[in-house]
Each structure stands twice: as C-alpha cells, then as structure tokens.
C-alpha cells in the first residue's frame, strides 16, 4: 500500500527525533564510559539545539531556496554522518561537536515540513495534519527512550549510534522516492514553490522578523520547549539515581514522552473545531506549572506515584502548546513564501530554550543539592508563556 507523501515527511521528522531521543537514556552510560559530568550531560542534551539557536531562521530561508524535499534529504544524510562519527568518539568534546552537526541536519529536515504539508494536503485537512506533525518530536523521542536501553545493553551505545545512522540513510532514500519534487497542482501556487528572482533571501528574512506574529509565536515556543526538555531529558538520570534499572527508567520516561502526542493531536482537532488558540496555550502553561510543583516539590517526597502521574499530565496537557503553535506559525507567516522562514525563526527561539533549559536546571540541581527547586525554573517559564499567550489575537481557523 502506497503511503501518502505527507505521511512520509512526518515519518522523516520522527526519524530525526530518534536522534534527539537517543541521548537521555545514554547519559548514565556515557557518564560511566567517558566520565561525563552533570553539566556536560546537560549540554549533551541541549547541544543538538545549537544550530537551531544560532541559524534557525537562515536555515529556514535556505530550505525555501534549495527546495524543501532536497533539504530533507540532505538533512537525513547529515544526521547519518554525524551519528556514524559518534561511533568513534572518545571524549565528551567530540560528542558535543557531533551533536551540534546533528542539530543542523535536524533543522534541514523539520523546517520544510509545515510548508510541504500545506502543499500536499487539501486545505480542509491542514490543521489535522499539522496537529499530527506536532507529534513528531514526542513520537520519535519516546521510541528512542523505550528502545535505546535494550539496544545499548545488546550492542552498546556506539552500536545504537550506528543503527540510527542507518535509519537516516533509509529515510533519505524513502523521501527521494516517495515525495514528489514539486507539490501537487491542486494546492500549490507558483509563489509557494519557487520564489521569484527579485524575492531575495534577506527580503524574506526581513519581512518575517519585522512582523509581530512570528516573534510572539517563537518566544512562546521557547518557553515551552526549554522546560519540557529539561524535565523529560533528565528523567532517566533521576530514575537511575533512585536505583531503577536502565530499561525501567527508559520505559517510564518513554511513556512520559509519548503521552505528549495526545496533546498535539488534541490541539489539531480542537483548533479545527473552533477552540481559540489562546485558550489552549493558557491551559497548557498553567498545567505545566502546577504539575512540576507536584512532581518536584519537597512536600511530595514520599509520594512517588503522585510525582510520576504529575509528569504524565505535564507532558500530555503541555502537548497542546506545540500542536497549537505549529498551526499558528503557518497562519502568521507574513506571506506564502515566508512560511519556512517563520517556522525557522520559531525553531530558532525554541532551540534557544532547549539549549539553555537543561544546563540551567542541572546547574540549579547542583547548587541546591537536588532537583527539588526545578519547579521554580519551570514555573517562571510557564508564567512568561502565559503573558505571551495573552497577547495572541489570531483567528480560530488556520
């Protein structure tokens, strides 16, 4: 059975997210094998966001110029080469550099997808597919969290890196064969597929950065992504410190990550039914603030079940935020030709949050002797997210 091209590009994002998710379950192994410190572990979690943090908008512009399908293929090949290089890494510094390269490949894959989906599916299905696209990160990382511990126990962390390199090569070939070089005629326009000669990249970038909508959506995404990665990324280490096996810790973390999918899908459906984006963002950030207090506050020290349930709710309800913001990014782009640039800017700010979040939480845990003040860091970012959401005035339908 032939799989729809829009589904193929979403699956390509899932494969890219596998590379993001391979690191959390590897942290305890790397600390023992390479002597990685706690702060270095935080940077290993976040270094993959370096490219997005520094050149996300420019990469978004580049994907419009070089072609969206080609961008995804190149991105998968970069991921494959960087992951394969990790097989021979001997020091944390080498892994950090390769993680930065993986971040560039990741960007080249995920930034063109909203534009491609917009071109590949009928308008009436757009919000649903974008909501489905919003699940790519949670799906890929949860699969990695669930499967990586068993793979690493069987063939080591280096074998796991090599296996994922093979997945990326296979995905690059699938995209090349299954996704059309040009979008279908019934949803495409000339301006959407090929920018005119006088539409230079700096004009698209200037148009995007001079518009309020992309800024607000991007900053809101940063407030979400930084705290989500900080909490989910360190769960395997927290559970390992509590004496749980790697497989058990990976399974618990994978479930916490995967339930994020439910929020993303729900966001797409609720937006399609006319629920205001601002209401979904308020729900998401309020829930994340309350649940991290329950999960990390000292008053729940003797209630591990309650703490884990709070993490599940944190991830599940918080998932409405990325699902909502991906739909809004397509809507607030200043023009059809700046959709990838807008998504790139959103990714750049999101990556900044993900780059800073884990090391800051790790530093806070080191300074306070534990993780019991994590809720304060996440609460501050949730409050900022709520303030940003108050200023969102978008129509109910993308």
């Amino acid at each position: 059975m032939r799989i729809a091209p829009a589904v193929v590009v979403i699956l390509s994002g899932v494969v890219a997210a596998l590379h993001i998710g391979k690191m959390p379950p590897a942290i305890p192994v790397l600390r023992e094998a390479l002597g990685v410190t706690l702060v270095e572990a935080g940077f290993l979690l976040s270094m993959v966001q370096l490219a997005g943090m520094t050149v996300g908008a420019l990469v978004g512009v580049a994907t419009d110029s070089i072609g969206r399908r080609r961008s995804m293929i190149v991105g998968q090949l970069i991921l494959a080469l960087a992951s394969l290089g990790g097989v021979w890494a001997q020091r944390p510094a080498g892994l950090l550099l390769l993680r930065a390269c993986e971040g560039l490949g990741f960007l080249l894959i995920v930034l063109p997808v909203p534009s491609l989906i917009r071109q590949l599916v009928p308008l009436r299905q757009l919000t649903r597919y974008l909501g489905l696209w919003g699940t790519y990160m949670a799906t890929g990382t949860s699969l990695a969290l669930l499967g990586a511990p068993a793979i690493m126990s069987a063939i080591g962390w280096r074998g796991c890196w090599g296996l994922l390199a093979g997945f990326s090569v296979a995905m690059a070939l699938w995209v090349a064969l299954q996704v059309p070089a040009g979008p279908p005629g019934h949803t495409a326009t000339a301006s959407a597929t090929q920018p005119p000669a006088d539409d230079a990249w700096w004009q698209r970038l200037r148009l995007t950065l001079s518009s309020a909508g992309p800024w607000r959506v991007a900053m809101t995404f940063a407030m979400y992504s930084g705290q989500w990665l900080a909490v989910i990324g360190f769960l395997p280490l927290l559970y390992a410190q509590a004496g749980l096996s790697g497989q058990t810790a990976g399974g618990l973390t994978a479930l916490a990550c995967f339930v994020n999918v439910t929020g993303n899908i729900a966001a797409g459906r609720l937006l399609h039914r006319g629920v205001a984006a601002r209401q979904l963002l308020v729900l998401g950030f309020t829930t994340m603030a309350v649940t991290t207090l329950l999960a990390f506050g000292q008053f729940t020290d003797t209630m591990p079940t309650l703490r884990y349930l709070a993490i599940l709710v944190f991830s599940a309800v918080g998932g409405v935020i990325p699902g909502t913001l991906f739909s809004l990014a397509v809507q607030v782009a200043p023009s059809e030709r700046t959709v990838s640039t807008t998504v790139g800017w959103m990714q750049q700010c999101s990556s900044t949050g993900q780059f800073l979040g884990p090391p800051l939480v790790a530093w806070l845990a080191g300074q306070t002797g534990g993780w019991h003040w994590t809720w304060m860091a996440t609460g501050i970012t949730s409050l900022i997210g709520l303030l940003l959401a108050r200023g969102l005035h978008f129509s109910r339908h993308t």
Side-chain angles (χ1 to χ4, degrees):
M1 182 179 65
R2 186 177 185 272
I3 297 179
V7 176
V8 174
V9 299
I10 291 173
L11 291 176
S12 182
V14 172
V15 170
L18 289 174
H19 291 269
I20 307 298
K22 69 187 179 186
M23 187 57 73
I27 290 297
V29 179
L30 292 173
R31 294 196 73 189
E32 181 177 346
L34 301 181
V36 174
T37 68
L38 185 59
V39 174
E40 285 175 338
F43 277 110
L44 281 173
L45 287 173
S46 63
M47 185 60 72
V48 74
Q49 306 300 332
L50 179 62
M53 182 180 72
T54 55
V55 294
L58 290 177
V59 174
V61 172
T63 63
D64 284 328
S65 300
I66 68 176
R68 290 153 189 167
R69 186 186 71 154
R70 186 180 302 166
S71 173
M72 296 185 70
I73 295 170
V74 171
Q76 289 289 359
L77 294 178
I78 291 175
L79 276 180
L81 290 173
S83 190
L84 193 61
V87 174
W88 289 278
Q90 300 296 325
R91 298 173 182 270
L95 278 181
L96 286 169
L97 178 61
L98 290 167
R99 285 296 277 176
C101 294
E102 288 179 353
L104 176 60
F106 178 80
L107 280 182
L108 288 169
I109 295 165
V110 302
L111 296 188
V113 172
S115 292
L116 277 172
I117 291 176
R118 188 173 186 173
Q119 297 165 359
L120 293 169
V121 304
L123 184 60
R124 65 181 181 276
Q125 298 180 6
L126 180 59
T127 53
R128 292 181 179 178
Y129 269 91
L130 288 173
L132 185 61
W133 166 242
T135 69
Y136 82 94
M137 179 64 81
T139 302
T141 52
S142 61
L143 288 174
L145 288 165
L146 186 62
I151 294 172
M152 284 186 283
S153 68
I155 59 176
W157 70 268
R158 298 180 191 276
C160 181
W161 261 235
L163 181 63
L164 289 178
F167 284 175
S168 282
V169 171
M171 195 70 239
L173 182 61
W174 196 8
V175 170
L177 294 175
Q178 192 78 8
V179 178
H186 70 282
T187 56
T189 63
S191 62
T193 60
Q194 184 65 41
D198 61 348
D199 186 20
W201 67 267
W202 61 84
Q203 292 176 319
R204 299 197 301 274
L205 182 61
R206 183 178 62 184
L207 179 60
T208 300
L209 297 184
S210 62
S211 303
W215 274 92
R216 192 171 291 275
V217 169
M219 294 302 298
T220 305
F221 210 141
M223 296 304 106
Y224 161 80
S225 62
Q227 62 172 306
W228 188 86
L229 184 61
V231 171
I232 300 299
F234 278 119
L235 282 183
L237 180 59
L238 267 69
Y239 294 146
Q241 291 174 343
L244 299 180
S245 68
Q247 190 66 44
T248 302
L252 292 173
T253 307
L255 178 59
C257 183
F258 186 72
V259 295
N260 187 258
V261 170
T262 62
N264 280 272
I265 294 175
R269 293 187 175 183
L270 291 171
L271 289 170
H272 185 73
R273 293 179 181 178
V275 177
R278 181 166 52 184
Q279 294 176 346
L280 294 177
L281 296 175
V282 169
L283 171 66
F285 280 117
T286 301
T287 301
M288 293 178 87
V290 173
T291 51
T292 49
L293 176 60
L294 292 174
F296 294 99
Q298 288 181 305
F299 64 95
T300 60
D301 271 344
T302 60
M303 295 178 277
T305 302
L306 174 63
R307 285 188 159 200
Y308 184 66
L309 289 175
I311 291 292
L312 292 180
V313 177
F314 164 87
S315 185
V317 180
V320 303
I321 297 173
T324 300
L325 293 177
F326 273 117
S327 293
L328 290 178
V330 173
Q331 181 179 347
V332 303
S335 72
E336 183 77 17
R337 295 185 297 276
T338 60
V339 173
S340 291
T341 309
T342 299
V343 175
W345 181 238
M346 184 175 75
Q347 186 68 47
Q348 184 161 339
C349 292
S350 171
S351 296
T352 302
Q354 293 181 64
F355 182 84
L356 296 175
L360 285 175
V361 168
W363 175 83
L364 183 63
Q367 293 296 309
T368 59
W371 302 91
H372 50 279
W373 286 107
T374 300
W375 65 269
M376 178 174 290
T378 58
I380 291 173
T381 56
S382 290
L383 177 60
I384 297 172
L386 286 170
L387 294 175
L388 289 168
R390 289 184 61 188
L392 294 173
H393 299 288
F394 302 124
S395 63
R396 294 188 172 192
H397 295 283
T398 301

